[in-house]
Amino acid sequence: MATHRTKMLIIGSGPAGYSAAIYAARAMLEPIVVQGLQPGGQLTITTDVENYPGFRDVVQGPWLMEEMKAQAEHVGTRMMYDIIVSVDLQNGSPFRAVGDSGDEYIADTIVIATGAQAKWLGAPGEQELGGKGVSACATCDGFFYRGKKVAVIGGGNTAVEEALYLTNHSDDVTLIHRRDELRAEKILQDRLFKNPKISTLWNKTVESFEAGEDGALSHLVLKDTQTGETSTIDVDGAFVAIGHAPATELFKGKLAMDESGYLDVEPGTPKTAIPGVFAAGDVTDHVYRQAVTAAGMGCMAALDGERYLAARADAPGEQVTEAAE
């Protein structure tokens, strides 16, 4: 067990965490990134990435995260293969966090970039066909289904928004919902029902995702929630849209969050209610959830953290942590 000291501790290692690290390191804050259970975040389970600026050709999600990590290390970030299991925010800066390893982290500022995970159905074939026809992000992957038949599973705002978005690429979109009415806002429902490209299957659950001879998704097996009868629907792509779960369990009772568990921040900033604690990326963003927006928020968090430390340094009697040990 060891004690690590830093001016900025970054919890999480997706686009938000790595971008915060790059900016913090260039500001000579000698940041530490505790990478967590899934280093690289959700992009490490994404195959083709075609909407991140700077690459004319498709790049692979894991490769992109490795490059961000390497860039952060190159400019002076320390990467720790650990998982933060407790954190003391209430006593103010310097903050103390403890890793699963038993190591202690003492930091003048904290950037929370623990992200969120898409909720999945848990049906057979769902994970096996991820990136081969099954997705949880139409904005990310809808482009790959131009002119093809796609389905969206869900009945809330996310599902309806995904279905509407997919009509930009497909003329054959089916919304599959387990009930006989949607939970989405009325204005979204009106748009959905008026769109001739979208059809709806009511009272249906997905029993399994089935592959074709090429190994990619070919059809869904459905079960009627009222009669129990099974049926199939041929699709090239299926988008699971039943919501996301932010990774904020560690901060419950310590930071303000909304009813879904997303961390509250000052509008337009990454600032939480506790000075010196910032939140960036999907852990606070339930609207956009894109790699590029997460990276931008990571940049903002690092810049605001640097300003926070500069203001403290100018205040009489204040001290900041020395270089990481």
Side-chain angles (χ1 to χ4, degrees), residues 253-268:
K254 299 175 182 178
L255 286 171
M257 54 186 72
D258 67 14
E259 64 278 2
S260 298
Y262 290 90
L263 294 180
D264 288 338
V265 292
E266 182 182 318

Side-chain angles (χ1 to χ4, degrees), residues 65-78:
M65 289 299 92
E66 281 296 320
E67 290 297 297
M68 284 192 186
K69 175 187 173 185
Q71 184 180 3
E73 289 179 309
H74 178 71
V75 291
T77 301
R78 288 183 67 194

Side-chain angles (χ1 to χ4, degrees), residues 144-221:
F144 301 111
Y145 298 92
R146 298 186 303 277
K148 297 183 178 181
K149 181 177 175 60
V150 296
V152 177
I153 300 104
N157 285 353
T158 299
V160 174
E161 289 169 350
E162 299 264 276
L164 289 167
Y165 173 81
L166 285 167
T167 60
N168 295 315
H169 305 294
S170 171
D171 293 333
D172 192 347
V173 179
T174 302
L175 182 70
I176 301 169
H177 187 40
R178 60 182 177 175
R179 299 189 177 95
D180 59 2
E181 61 181 6
L182 300 175
R183 294 176 287 105
E185 296 173 1
K186 185 64 166 58
I187 189 171
L188 290 175
Q189 293 191 42
D190 289 343
R191 291 174 187 166
L192 180 92
F193 296 138
K194 289 177 182 177
N195 195 310
K197 297 180 180 180
I198 302 174
S199 58
T200 307
L201 287 179
W202 302 106
N203 300 312
K204 296 288 191 297
T205 60
V206 177
E207 289 291 285
S208 65
F209 299 79
E210 302 293 337
E213 293 182 359
D214 60 356
L217 179 70
S218 67
H219 64 279
L220 307 177
V221 176

Side-chain angles (χ1 to χ4, degrees), residues 5-312:
R5 293 179 172 83
T6 178
K7 295 183 179 70
M8 181 173 286
L9 174 66
I10 300 165
I11 306 174
S13 55
Y18 287 151
S19 296
I22 291 166
Y23 275 82
R26 286 174 54 81
M28 308 304 290
L29 301 185
E30 299 174 310
I32 290 176
V33 172
V34 178
Q35 298 191 81
L37 191 62
Q38 186 179 14
Q42 293 186 75
L43 277 186
T44 60
I45 58 172
T46 301
T47 51
D48 294 344
V49 176
E50 200 168 22
N51 55 7
Y52 196 86
F55 304 97
R56 70 174 68 187
D57 295 320
V58 174
V59 298
Q60 299 297 300
W63 176 86
L64 182 59
M65 289 299 92
E66 281 296 320
E67 290 297 297
M68 284 192 186
K69 175 187 173 185
Q71 184 180 3
E73 289 179 309
H74 178 71
V75 291
T77 301
R78 288 183 67 194
M79 296 289 171
M80 305 296 292
Y81 292 94
D82 203 352
I83 301 169
I84 298 298
V85 294
S86 69
V87 60
D88 179 7
L89 304 179
Q90 307 312 309
N91 293 316
S93 179
F95 305 102
R96 285 173 168 77
V98 177
D100 184 64
S101 65
D103 285 9
E104 183 181 38
Y105 301 86
I106 299 176
D108 293 306
T109 62
I110 287 181
V111 174
I112 301 168
T114 48
Q117 295 291 332
K119 295 179 181 177
W120 296 97
L121 297 172
E126 184 178 45
Q127 296 303 313
E128 292 83 353
L129 292 173
K132 300 177 182 178
V134 178
S135 172
C137 181
T139 309
C140 309
D141 300 328
F143 182 77
F144 301 111
Y145 298 92
R146 298 186 303 277
K148 297 183 178 181
K149 181 177 175 60
V150 296
V152 177
I153 300 104
N157 285 353
T158 299
V160 174
E161 289 169 350
E162 299 264 276
L164 289 167
Y165 173 81
L166 285 167
T167 60
N168 295 315
H169 305 294
S170 171
D171 293 333
D172 192 347
V173 179
T174 302
L175 182 70
I176 301 169
H177 187 40
R178 60 182 177 175
R179 299 189 177 95
D180 59 2
E181 61 181 6
L182 300 175
R183 294 176 287 105
E185 296 173 1
K186 185 64 166 58
I187 189 171
L188 290 175
Q189 293 191 42
D190 289 343
R191 291 174 187 166
L192 180 92
F193 296 138
K194 289 177 182 177
N195 195 310
K197 297 180 180 180
I198 302 174
S199 58
T200 307
L201 287 179
W202 302 106
N203 300 312
K204 296 288 191 297
T205 60
V206 177
E207 289 291 285
S208 65
F209 299 79
E210 302 293 337
E213 293 182 359
D214 60 356
L217 179 70
S218 67
H219 64 279
L220 307 177
V221 176
L222 307 178
K223 182 178 180 179
D224 192 291
T225 58
Q226 294 184 328
T227 66
E229 294 180 359
T230 60
S231 59
T232 63
I233 177 174
D234 293 335
V235 292
D236 299 295
F239 295 84
V240 179
I242 56 175
H244 286 72
T248 54
E249 186 69 31
L250 179 64
F251 307 102
K252 285 187 177 178
K254 299 175 182 178
L255 286 171
M257 54 186 72
D258 67 14
E259 64 278 2
S260 298
Y262 290 90
L263 294 180
D264 288 338
V265 292
E266 182 182 318
T269 81
K271 299 175 183 177
T272 70
I274 297 180
V277 178
F278 307 92
D282 287 8
V283 76
T284 186
D285 172 23
H286 56 81
V287 178
Y288 301 104
R289 295 195 299 264
Q290 299 298 301
V292 66
T293 52
M297 293 177 71
C299 162
M300 293 162 63
L303 293 176
D304 280 343
E306 180 187 4
R307 291 167 184 150
Y308 166 81
L309 291 172
R312 283 188 64 199

